[in-house]
Amino acid sequence: MGQRAVGSAPRRLARSVGMAAAAALLAGCGAGFGGHDAKDDTASPRPVPKATFVGYFSPEAGSTVGTGMIVSLRFNRTITDRAAVERGVTVTAEPPVPVAGHWFGDRRLDLRPAAYWRSGTRVTLHLRLRGVRGAANTFGRQSKDVTFTIGRSQVSTADAATHTMRVLREGRLFRVLPITSGSPRHTTYNGIMVIAEKFVSTRMNGRTVGFGGEYDIPDVPHAMRLTTSGTFVHGNYWSPGEVFGTDNVSHGCIGLRDTKPGLPLPGVAGRLPERTPAAWFFDHSLIGDPIRVVNSHDRTVAPDNGMSGWNLGWPAWRAGSALR
């Protein structure tokens, strides 16, 4: 499946904090009939109704995520006063580490440290947006704290040239998995991408991402989203087993050998069935785990395509802050 191959309809990683819609009453000045002080209310300016905005955040409160997690806020209204809004959004960590924001357009603010989070870090997003002016006659309504925890460190490197993915756990080699990545016609993005969603099984339809009727697979197993545009690392049961570790045949995704959902796993009599490479990687992955692709004949993934902001160096990241 492809980097532009979308599975099921996207689901928010973040917990919705509710859509805000506010309306102010229009009040006019009344006057007595025939009074000398009566005024023509048509000449009085009418107040403009105020609007409110909220930011939908990820990750969820109380979650445990990987070291590559980027805190992201997506606003339901256009933000023109970015500095005021950014001052109302802070991220603190225990142990402490500097965190900076970066705007992607006028509705998205991401925040991260200079390097991956340290394992065990307790991170808190502080939203102090109530009453903050985000745009003309538009004000924030949130005031809350969101705390999550950074789990063990797991960083993987998928090499499109050697057809392998090296999985490092706490800096040590954990496992090497044979993969297939994007074919010469549909190459995989290079660069760092971060797991944003996990699906035990999902549908992938090429028509949703511009591939026409090239494929429509209703039960792609062990699928983990890496980009908004549709890059996944997922199980593959339809390709011959010999392609894994030897050839690149996907539409841009990273494929791992798997079995069709519902079929029994291969095993040896008297032993539990062995998990497939795709199932193993799914079981050992967290939302927020970074995966770096190298040696693919494609460009580096855009930093706003999913949680791909790690492809910006720290000076470039900080340059995207409204508070610089």
Side-chain angles (χ1 to χ4, degrees), residues 132-149:
V132 173
R133 182 183 183 276
N137 222 41
T138 303
F139 300 88
R141 59 172 294 180
Q142 289 166 295
S143 181
K144 67 185 305 178
D145 293 335
V146 180
T147 299
F148 59 95
T149 302

Side-chain angles (χ1 to χ4, degrees), residues 251-271:
H251 282 77
C253 289
I254 300 168
L256 295 162
R257 183 177 60 82
D258 212 342
T259 56
K260 186 177 176 65
L263 293 182
L265 297 172
V268 178
R271 299 182 186 176

Side-chain angles (χ1 to χ4, degrees), residues 39-116:
K39 296 181 180 180
D40 180 3
D41 67 322
T42 61
S44 302
R46 293 177 179 270
V48 178
K50 292 181 180 180
T52 59
F53 71 88
V54 295
Y56 301 107
F57 55 84
S58 62
E60 294 185 1
S63 59
T64 297
V65 297
T67 58
M69 190 72 209
I70 293 178
V71 179
S72 188
L73 282 164
R74 295 175 186 263
F75 298 100
N76 67 324
R77 295 185 184 275
T78 296
I79 303 298
T80 57
D81 196 342
R82 297 182 186 179
V85 171
E86 191 172 340
R87 279 192 291 269
V89 179
T90 57
V91 174
T92 59
E94 301 173 12
V97 62
V99 176
H102 187 104
W103 286 87
F104 293 110
D106 52 19
R107 291 199 177 200
R108 176 178 171 184
L109 173 63
D110 285 7
L111 302 102
R112 69 164 175 88
Y116 295 149

